[in-house]
Amino acid sequence: MGVRFKGWGIGLPDRIVTNEELSQTLDTSDEWIAERTGIRERRVGGSAVSLGVIAGRNAIQDAGLLVGDIDFLVLATTTPDRLCPASAPMIANELGLNCASMDVNAACSGFMYAVRTAQGLLETGNRRILVIGSENLSRWVDWSDRNMAVLLGDGAGAAVLEYDETGTDVLSFVLGSDGSAADLLTCEHGGYFQMDGKEVFRRAVRVVVDSAEQAMKIADVSPDDINLVIPHQANVRIIKAATQRLGIPMERTVVTLDRYGNTSSSSIPLAFFDARQNGRIKSGEYALMTGFGAGMTWASAVVRWSR
Ligand code: UT7
């Protein structure tokens, strides 16, 4: 029995905030941000619900399905519209879904955790699951704090996962968490995101490399077999360091953070969508999807596209 990725969609706010614009109010520069992170601009606006609705609708359409075909909605978000209720039921309501729905919070690994959750739900009788990553990080950014303000952006990405008893796109999954590192990246109630950037960077490279190596081993593929890496988009230097250690050239890696910044749970589906639009997703080819984030949490999976 297996899981097939059937359709994808994204939702982005229209408002583009460039590094240049941030430099007008913060002690920073386009040069520093681009050099140290790879980010050139980010999108700002919307909410987890409003962006998630757009991405979800687009994914259902892309899959050639109707809302009635969806059995479950799993929303990955770190920035739900409200603490309670969860944002997933509100998205389901706006989409016209008549099914169970819930939020998953695993920070920047959220989309991967949501896919893994959906995989389990497909094993227990559901047939099609809408998985959305949606973030409104800008709401929890102190715009006078250059440490965080230059990094984060808003956006959403979604996929429909379908049960298939004849085979699977998902060949392996490795997830982990380490709450002893919880204080490295936090957002307290009523507060703003704060991070020990250097330490997160160091640990991020390690957990991405370790989990990706395990995922490739379980899938019985080598770095040479991986046609495309779809990594969480936090910092291009993290992506370069991790792929170099894995022995996978950067040409085989998707980078979208230059346009969207770090969009947490949304970054992997946004990167996937970009790769597909650019003809980089090919049937029969292997991809490594890998994410890490606050918690700390991490997740890597090897997939082989069937469509
Ligand atoms: O999604 C998962 C979570 N996020 C991440 O994975 C992010 C992980 N961390 C990083 O990406 C990087 O550590 C940062 C981009 C956050 C920072 O880059 P860095 O190369 O580690 O810079 P740094 O913190 O060592 O700072 C270097 C210098 C410092 O000045 P001094 O002490 O050398 O004079 C900082 O004060 O750069 C300064 N600086 C800035 N300058 C201009 C820090 N932030 C900025 C800024 N603009 N925005």
Side-chain angles (χ1 to χ4, degrees):
M1 109 91 213
V3 175
R4 300 292 190 196
F5 286 97
K6 209 170 152 65
W8 293 79
I10 62 170
L12 287 165
D14 294 331
R15 169 106 163 86
I16 295 172
V17 176
T18 62
N19 290 350
E20 205 56 60
E21 187 176 341
L22 289 179
S23 310
Q24 286 162 20
T25 52
L26 288 172
D27 181 16
T28 190
S29 63
D30 175 43
E31 194 188 7
W32 190 97
I33 304 168
E35 212 168 85
R36 296 288 183 127
T37 71
I39 298 166
R40 296 202 169 270
E41 59 189 41
R42 70 285 296 142
R43 300 296 182 100
V44 172
S47 72
V49 170
S50 68
L51 298 170
V53 165
I54 298 167
R57 186 175 289 130
N58 287 337
I60 294 169
Q61 254 172 27
D62 186 52
L65 297 170
L66 301 170
V67 286
D69 297 322
I70 303 297
D71 297 329
F72 212 112
L73 165 63
V74 184
L75 170 69
T77 186
T78 321
T79 52
D81 285 21
R82 303 183 221 174
L83 194 57
C84 183
S87 291
M90 293 192 280
I91 293 178
N93 180 51
E94 285 198 37
L95 286 175
L97 301 181
N98 184 18
C99 65
S101 61
M102 65 176 183
D103 288 8
V104 167
N105 179 353
C108 305
S109 317
F111 186 79
M112 301 296 288
Y113 267 71
V115 169
R116 184 59 162 162
T117 303
Q119 198 181 7
L121 291 167
L122 289 168
E123 280 182 20
T124 52
N126 298 284
R127 286 296 168 266
R128 294 187 193 95
I129 300 189
L130 178 60
V131 179
I132 303 176
S134 186
E135 299 286 8
N136 179 210
L137 298 163
S138 66
R139 180 175 166 189
W140 309 102
V141 167
D142 172 358
W143 288 97
S144 66
D145 172 14
R146 70 177 183 179
N147 292 319
M148 292 310 300
V150 303
L151 301 176
L152 305 179
D154 300 330
V160 176
L161 269 57
E162 189 172 57
Y163 175 80
D164 186 345
E165 59 190 10
T166 65
T168 189
D169 288 3
V170 179
L171 303 183
S172 63
F173 234 116
V174 175
L175 298 100
S177 70
D178 175 8
S180 72
D183 290 342
L184 293 181
L185 175 45
T186 60
C187 182
E188 302 296 335
H189 289 289
Y192 298 114
F193 279 106
Q194 291 186 319
M195 174 171 66
D196 176 346
K198 270 197 181 321
E199 188 56 18
V200 172
F201 192 120
R202 206 176 60 80
R203 290 177 187 240
V205 174
R206 197 171 69 213
V207 297
V208 164
V209 171
D210 286 353
S211 62
E213 281 177 346
Q214 283 177 51
M216 286 190 284
K217 193 167 174 209
I218 295 166
D220 199 20
V221 296
S222 74
D224 287 345
D225 296 322
I226 300 291
N227 303 98
L228 200 63
V229 183
I230 306 176
H232 169 51
Q233 309 280 315
N235 186 324
V236 76
R237 287 161 50 218
I238 295 178
I239 298 175
K240 277 184 184 155
T243 50
Q244 191 180 20
R245 275 173 218 195
L246 288 168
I248 305 174
M250 271 301 281
E251 304 84 75
R252 284 193 250 144
T253 302
V254 186
V255 176
T256 53
L257 55 79
D258 52 331
R259 285 156 285 152
Y260 305 141
N262 179 348
T263 56
S264 192
S265 301
S266 313
S267 79
I268 288 180
L270 281 171
F272 173 93
F273 194 85
D274 189 81
R276 199 180 70 168
Q277 272 196 323
N278 290 310
R280 298 177 77 186
I281 303 287
K282 298 189 183 110
S283 179
E285 290 195 347
Y286 293 97
L288 169 67
M289 298 163 102
T290 181
F292 62 91
M296 286 190 73
T297 59
W298 56 89
S300 289
V302 173
V303 300
R304 192 172 190 208
W305 311 116
S306 55
R307 68 195 294 268

